[in-house]
Amino acid sequence: WEWAAKNVWLDEKQSATPMFYDPDLTPWAKEWHMIPLQPEVREVIIMKSSRSGASEAWLNVLRWMPDHWPGNALFAINSRDKAKEVSKKRIIPTLQRAAGAQLTENPDDVATLMISLKNMDIVVSGSGSAGPFMEAWYRLVLMDELENHQQDQETTTYDRAKSRQATVPDGKIVGMSKPELAG
């Protein structure tokens, strides 16, 4: 969170008042920022409300990773359209500012659903796609709006995420969602 306060500029598409990320607006989110530094924590489940700071906190971890904790990462949200929107508005612009030194010179390496940096790849996906879970390993798997992920496959998004970390000793799985479904 200290790094984010100095390095993550939220523009008019991300904040009603453009500014650097302010951890004091969501002080409970400070703890989430520290989880990559806690080897004993492997899985995090967050029951959240809208505008609770959970998604932004974990996007900050994603932005911090290239320079401090490199390793492939996956951000999966409930639909491909939402994945594209989050990537274009919230991930790519802030990642370019915060971790620009890790970007390659190839303009094709920064695509909406696949961002290839010098030392890691970031995959952005809608939940219905099993493809991102097939071949890659991930140090961090972020599953946002998890309760609304399409579950028309043999396994859940969460189970597929766990399978991608079987051999990653310091991997983290984060599932967050607003509770909406009965039960």
Side-chain angles (χ1 to χ4, degrees):
W1 60 268
E2 292 169 323
W3 174 90
K6 294 175 186 170
N7 293 283
V8 177
W9 176 257
L10 302 172
D11 65 21
E12 58 279 345
K13 290 184 180 181
Q14 300 147 351
S15 175
T17 306
M19 63 180 175
F20 280 99
Y21 175 79
D22 185 350
D24 292 329
L25 295 176
T26 52
W28 51 86
K30 290 178 181 179
E31 180 180 344
W32 299 325
H33 287 89
M34 303 304 290
I35 288 175
L37 305 175
Q38 299 171 3
E40 69 280 5
V41 178
R42 298 277 301 180
E43 299 178 43
V44 177
I45 303 298
I46 301 169
M47 186 182 337
K48 66 177 188 166
S49 61
S50 293
R51 306 195 46 83
S52 64
S55 297
E56 200 65 47
W58 285 102
L59 289 175
N60 285 339
V61 171
L62 190 66
R63 298 165 181 137
W64 169 83
M65 285 179 68
D67 287 333
H68 304 279
W69 192 54
N72 296 333
L74 170 65
F75 177 87
I77 197 161
N78 55 318
S79 74
R80 184 175 172 89
D81 288 342
K82 190 65 176 173
K84 288 179 180 180
E85 178 185 331
V86 170
S87 183
K88 287 178 184 177
K89 290 182 180 178
R90 297 176 72 186
I91 297 174
I92 293 172
T94 53
L95 192 65
Q96 288 172 325
R97 289 185 202 105
Q102 293 301 334
L103 293 171
T104 71
E105 294 183 20
N106 184 344
D108 294 334
D109 284 348
V110 180
T112 304
L113 300 176
M114 170 65 116
I115 304 162
S116 294
L117 293 100
K118 292 176 184 174
N119 58 354
M120 63 184 280
D121 289 333
I122 299 172
V123 177
V124 183
S125 174
S127 67
S129 175
F133 296 97
M134 297 303 215
E135 296 177 12
W137 67 273
Y138 297 107
R139 174 158 284 142
L140 178 66
V141 178
L142 301 175
M143 295 170 288
D144 204 351
E145 305 303 341
L146 183 59
E147 189 168 285
N148 294 317
H149 282 210
Q150 295 175 8
Q151 301 301 339
D152 54 0
Q153 316 253 330
E154 292 179 15
T155 60
T156 66
T157 304
Y158 194 85
D159 290 336
R160 289 192 299 270
K162 285 182 78 166
S163 75
R164 294 294 87 206
Q165 290 193 329
T167 60
V168 183
D170 61 346
K172 311 289 183 193
I173 295 175
V174 179
M176 48 189 159
S177 193
K178 296 181 289 281
E180 297 176 4
L181 302 175

